[in-house]
């Protein structure tokens, strides 16, 4: 018998078998792409590609200067947006998880509820926000309170839809025969929920949060477009675009991007602490 000739692996394949190299590559490549885009933008290469000018698409240096010069005002808007985003996220996720728990325990009664909640996920935020703003106009005589309630409801609805669908999967997609074994040991519904369903749903909660966290920032920004009270990052983006103050608008857009990135990074940190090695399975 002829011995099989072993082909030597290429350097590229050998490097990708090294976990440290793969981890470093996952960090380096996005940073490299960001640096390339930044340099193209700063030296007006991006303007030539997109066929625009520095009035509509200001240079990063100009945007940075505006952020520094107006930081005290920007902080006020950041606080307003973050309060709405975080509060709506918490309320929506708790409500979504509660709906998922009820649906998993009372399938015949509550399963249709998941479908109804999922339908909310298909409603565009730009259509939902003005409806909610009009609906909550009699909540308070204070425009600030009315706006806060309306914006929080919009964020909560978006977060609730993401959480309920993914949490329901985690509560119902159990290991084969695991629920049957607990039933044999005379475990009731509450014990099955506490001992089996909830622990199994934890990775799915983080899957939902990976969608809900960026969505809560986006929905907060969009809801501010239609709010009565003129405060918030989204509101300032709208006002400056209407006034053709594109440099200032881009400064607030940059701030909004940073808010989303920071919240997502914090979520990844919490996931790593809570799940450890299991966290990689939710990616």
């Amino acid at each position: 018998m002829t011995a099989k000739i072993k082909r030597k692996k290429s350097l590229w394949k050998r490097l990708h078998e090294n976990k440290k190299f793969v981890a470093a590559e996952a960090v380096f490549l996005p940073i490299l792409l960001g640096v390339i885009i930044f340099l193209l933008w700063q030296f007006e290469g991006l303007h030539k590609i997109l066929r625009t000018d520095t009035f509509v698409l200001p240079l990063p240096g100009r945007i940075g200067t505006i952020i520094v010069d107006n930081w005290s005002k920007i902080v006020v808007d950041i606080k307003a947006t973050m309060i709405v985003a975080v509060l709506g996220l918490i309320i929506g996720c708790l409500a979504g998880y509660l709906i998922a728990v009820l649906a998993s325990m009372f399938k015949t009664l509550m399963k249709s509820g998941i479908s109804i909640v999922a339908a909310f996920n298909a409603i565009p935020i730009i259509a939902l926000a003005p409806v909610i703003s009009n609906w909550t106009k009699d909540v308070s005589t204070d425009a600030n309170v009315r706006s806060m309630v309306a914006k929080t409801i919009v964020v909560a609805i978006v977060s609730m839809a993401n959480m309920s669908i993914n949490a329901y999967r985690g509560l119902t997609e159990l290991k084969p025969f695991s629920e049957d074994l607990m039933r044999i040991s005379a475990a009731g519904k509450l014990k099955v929920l506490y001992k089996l369903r909830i622990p199994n749903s934890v990775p799915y909660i983080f899957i939902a949060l990976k969608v809900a966290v960026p969505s809560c920032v986006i929905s907060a920004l969009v809801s501010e477009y239609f709010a009565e009270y003129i405060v918030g990052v989204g509101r300032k983006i709208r006002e400056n675009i209407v006034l053709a103050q594109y440099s200032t608008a881009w400064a607030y857009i940059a701030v909004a991007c940073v808010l989303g990135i920071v919240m997502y990074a914090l979520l990844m940190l919490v996931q790593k602490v809570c799940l450890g090695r299991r966290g990689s399975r939710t990616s």
Side-chain angles (χ1 to χ4, degrees):
M1 294 178 68
T2 56
K4 291 183 178 180
I5 299 173
K6 291 184 177 179
R7 292 184 179 180
K8 195 173 182 180
K9 292 182 180 179
S10 65
L11 177 62
W12 186 251
K13 286 186 177 180
R14 278 181 286 163
L15 284 172
H16 277 79
E17 287 176 356
N18 188 319
K19 291 182 179 179
K20 290 183 179 179
F21 176 82
V22 173
E25 184 184 49
V27 175
F28 175 74
L29 290 180
I31 292 174
L32 178 63
L33 178 62
V35 170
I36 291 170
I37 293 173
F38 178 84
L39 291 174
L40 284 171
W41 190 352
Q42 181 63 37
F43 294 101
E44 300 186 31
L46 202 60
H47 297 76
K48 292 177 181 178
I49 295 170
L50 300 175
R51 296 182 180 180
T52 186
D53 52 38
T54 54
F55 177 70
V56 177
L57 183 61
L59 298 178
R62 171 64 177 156
I63 294 170
T65 302
I66 291 172
I67 292 173
V68 172
D69 292 344
N70 297 277
W71 182 245
S72 58
K73 295 179 181 178
I74 291 173
V75 167
V76 175
D77 294 305
I78 289 173
K79 287 179 180 178
T81 300
M82 289 304 295
I83 289 170
V84 170
V86 174
L87 189 60
L89 177 69
I90 293 170
I91 294 171
C93 287
L94 289 175
Y97 193 80
L98 179 61
I99 291 169
V101 168
L102 293 173
S104 67
M105 293 180 69
F106 309 102
K107 293 181 181 179
T108 54
L109 295 174
M110 289 295 298
K111 195 172 182 180
S112 58
I114 293 292
S115 302
I116 294 170
V117 172
F120 282 109
N121 214 19
I123 302 174
I125 301 169
I126 200 168
L128 186 65
V131 173
I132 298 297
S133 294
N134 188 56
W135 177 47
T136 56
K137 64 183 180 180
D138 297 325
V139 168
S140 173
T141 55
D142 188 348
N144 185 22
V145 174
R146 291 197 301 269
S147 295
M148 182 69 69
V149 171
K151 291 183 288 187
T152 304
I153 290 173
V154 172
V155 177
I157 288 173
V158 174
S159 303
M160 179 179 64
N162 290 320
M163 180 57 70
S164 61
I165 295 166
N166 284 284
Y168 180 75
R169 284 182 57 203
L171 291 163
T172 55
E173 293 181 5
L174 307 173
K175 290 182 180 179
F177 308 112
S178 57
E179 188 175 3
D180 294 332
L181 288 171
M182 292 202 73
R183 297 293 185 195
I184 290 169
S185 61
K189 283 187 177 182
L190 289 176
K191 194 168 185 179
V192 171
L193 175 68
Y194 176 71
K195 294 286 187 180
L196 182 62
R197 295 189 188 277
I198 291 178
N200 192 71
S201 71
V202 173
Y204 292 85
I205 291 173
F206 284 98
I207 292 174
L209 287 173
K210 284 180 180 181
V211 179
V213 166
S215 295
C216 79
V217 177
I218 294 169
S219 52
L221 294 172
V222 174
S223 64
E224 286 171 348
Y225 275 50
F226 306 95
E228 292 180 76
Y229 200 64
I230 51 174
V231 68
V233 175
R235 185 73 179 201
K236 291 298 186 291
I237 293 171
R238 176 196 171 186
E239 287 182 350
N240 284 286
I241 288 174
V242 170
L243 297 171
Q245 299 289 336
Y246 294 114
S247 297
T248 308
W250 273 101
Y252 277 98
I253 290 169
V255 168
C257 292
V258 171
L259 290 178
I261 292 168
V262 168
M263 285 190 69
Y264 193 83
L266 288 174
L267 172 63
M268 293 297 97
L269 182 63
V270 172
Q271 176 182 292
K272 191 171 183 180
V273 172
C274 293
L275 298 184
R277 291 182 181 179
R278 290 179 64 191
S280 59
R281 297 178 187 176
T282 65
S283 302

